[in-house]
Amino acid sequence: MAERIIPLTDHRSRTLQPPLAALEAATRMSATGFLGDTLGRPLHDLRISVTDRCNFRCSYCMPKEVFDKDYPYLPHGSLLTFEEITRLARLFVGHGVRKVRLTGGEPLLRKNIEILIEQLAQLRTVDGAPLDITLTTNGSLLARKAEALRAAGLQRVTVSLDGLDDTVFRKMNDVDFPVEQVLEGIAAAKAAGLGPIKVNMVVKRGTNEHEILAMARHFKGTGVVLRFIEYMDVGATNGWRMDEVLPSSEVIKLIHADMPLMQLEPSSAGETAARWGYADAQGRHDRDAGEIGVISSVTQAFCHDCNRARLSTEGKLYLCLFASSGYDLRELVRGGASDADVTSAIGHIWSGRADRYSELRSTLSPDTPGGTRRVEMSYIGG
Ligand code: SAM
Ligand code: SF4
Ligand code: SF4
């Protein structure tokens, strides 16, 4: 088994809090509906982590050895309330955010999450359109909750599923959770109209690469878009090793040899997944057969058009999945800052953003900011 790196300190509490007041000193920024960072990347997508807890222990995310019963999860009072989240989301929307993804930890463990969705569904983008609201889940509670989520205004879901073989799946979630119940969750989401559904499969060489073809065959022609994610070096607890990354190019080669594929245009700028469609006998995209996606975060960095901000469970704003520090918006909100104050702070923070970790990965040492001293995926959200 791979040697694990066990963190000796809690990086959430070590989080640096850049002095927001200093950022404010120069000029006050208001919302214009467009906010670019130092590389011209717009703020478009907001990922909100609603809990740092999870009922799975996927070894690549929350390994059991670290996330045990003594792990210091955030106390309830530290979590942003639904009202605080909705207020912050509204201010982000003023800067041009169009899409909100709820994540975690396992977002369906957050009590009354439907109420938050109802509140977010009331927001309108700067063009007056409803927000695109989606949620990433491990699917364990989806069969029970799909209808209520849809009724609350959720439009789509992404379900994480790392294999169809029950033994492989139980081992990967490491809590002996049966694959059948996740498949039931996907079926319930489909029936409730939470589509198009995406399924995310993290591929780990030596662990589940033999599930790739079975997964592709299973979801082909169902309307579900299966996406293969390269195993990433997020956090500091999963003992990541480059030799356990299976490059997306190999995934494509494997599927193409069995079911011919053709590359499709990206559906939008900043799209994380490269799209591949199943080809018909004439070499055209067979729309009924559908498409797959590959997210090559390790082998083909897509930082150049990364338009995603992340709001942690306790209200810290992170500018990159691999950041080691966040900006404490909860402190502002609970300190009585006005909407204009918070809007200006967000404006200053994003306009100073230069993060592009994946593009720099090979040049960073563990001790440089953005090296391996990072917050966990379960805290910041995927
Ligand atoms: N619990 C939910 C779930 O699993 O869908 C939401 C949170 S989870 C952190 C979000 C996504 O991050 C999941 O699709 C998961 O597979 C992915 N993820 C977690 N750790 C990862 C890693 N080391 N490399 C690649 N993807 C990872
Ligand atoms: Fe939980 Fe999702 Fe992380 Fe797995 S990937 S441990 S389901 S938060
Ligand atoms: Fe975006 Fe950071 Fe990922 Fe690059 S490494 S794509 S900047 S989250």
Side-chain angles (χ1 to χ4, degrees), residues 41 302-303 306 308 310 319-322 353 355-359:
R41 298 170 295 185
F302 38 76
C303 304
C306 175
R308 293 174 291 284
R310 292 179 160 84
L319 303 179
C320 176
L321 190 51
F322 298 90
R353 175 184 188 243
D355 302 59
R356 51 190 192 99
Y357 172 79
S358 285
E359 288 180 351

Side-chain angles (χ1 to χ4, degrees), residues 176-188:
D176 212 25
F177 196 88
V179 72
E180 200 49 46
Q181 284 187 38
V182 178
L183 294 174
E184 283 166 15
I186 293 172

Side-chain angles (χ1 to χ4, degrees), residues 14-248:
R14 258 179 35 144
T15 294
L16 305 172
Q17 292 167 16
L20 292 173
L23 287 171
E24 292 283 290
T27 39
R28 197 160 182 78
M29 287 183 72
S30 50
T32 61
F34 177 87
L35 185 59
D37 69 7
T38 61
L39 302 173
R41 298 170 295 185
L43 174 54
H44 182 277
D45 189 338
L46 180 64
R47 300 193 172 188
I48 304 172
S49 173
V50 293
T51 176
D52 61 341
R53 291 163 197 260
C54 187
N55 53 344
F56 282 14
R57 286 292 175 275
C58 309
S59 59
Y60 52 71
C61 179
M62 297 181 76
K64 249 183 188 164
E65 302 86 324
V66 177
F67 294 87
D68 58 11
K69 61 176 184 10
D70 299 323
Y71 186 81
Y73 293 102
L74 296 169
H76 192 72
S78 292
L79 273 52
L80 288 182
T81 64
F82 291 165
E83 286 66 30
E84 288 168 339
I85 292 175
T86 307
R87 178 179 176 214
L88 284 171
R90 175 169 56 76
L91 302 178
F92 274 94
V93 165
H95 279 304
V97 162
R98 291 178 154 70
K99 181 170 162 189
V100 167
R101 178 178 296 278
L102 299 178
T103 177
E106 173 46 45
L108 298 186
L109 287 183
R110 179 83 187 248
K111 220 169 150 202
N112 299 325
I113 184 90
E114 301 83 354
I115 295 177
L116 173 64
I117 293 167
E118 262 170 32
Q119 293 176 6
L120 293 172
Q122 305 300 316
L123 300 178
R124 293 292 172 268
T125 69
V126 284
D127 314 316
L131 270 187
D132 181 7
I133 307 174
T134 178
L135 176 146
T136 305
T137 171
N138 62 24
S140 58
L141 301 169
L142 199 50
R144 226 180 297 161
K145 295 201 167 219
E147 284 284 353
L149 293 169
R150 181 73 188 117
L154 188 70
Q155 284 148 6
R156 294 178 290 117
V157 284
T158 298
V159 182
S160 303
L161 177 63
D162 297 330
L164 285 174
D165 180 278
D166 198 44
T167 310
V168 172
F169 183 66
R170 285 177 192 252
K171 195 158 177 242
M172 285 192 82
N173 63 55
D174 214 8
V175 292
D176 212 25
F177 196 88
V179 72
E180 200 49 46
Q181 284 187 38
V182 178
L183 294 174
E184 283 166 15
I186 293 172
K190 210 169 171 186
L194 287 169
I197 296 171
K198 290 178 185 157
V199 167
N200 280 353
M201 171 176 175
V202 174
V203 183
K204 230 178 138 179
R205 197 197 285 277
T207 304
N208 65 339
E209 82 242 54
H210 47 284
E211 287 294 297
I212 294 171
L213 264 185
M215 287 279 284
R217 288 187 189 125
H218 181 84
F219 288 110
K220 184 180 176 190
T222 63
V224 169
V225 179
L226 174 61
R227 304 181 325 162
F228 299 92
I229 307 183
E230 285 177 353
Y231 169 42
M232 284 187 283
D233 47 336
V234 281
T237 57
N238 64 10
W240 183 86
R241 295 195 331 231
M242 186 67 200
D243 60 5
E244 287 180 320
V245 177
L246 187 82
S248 296

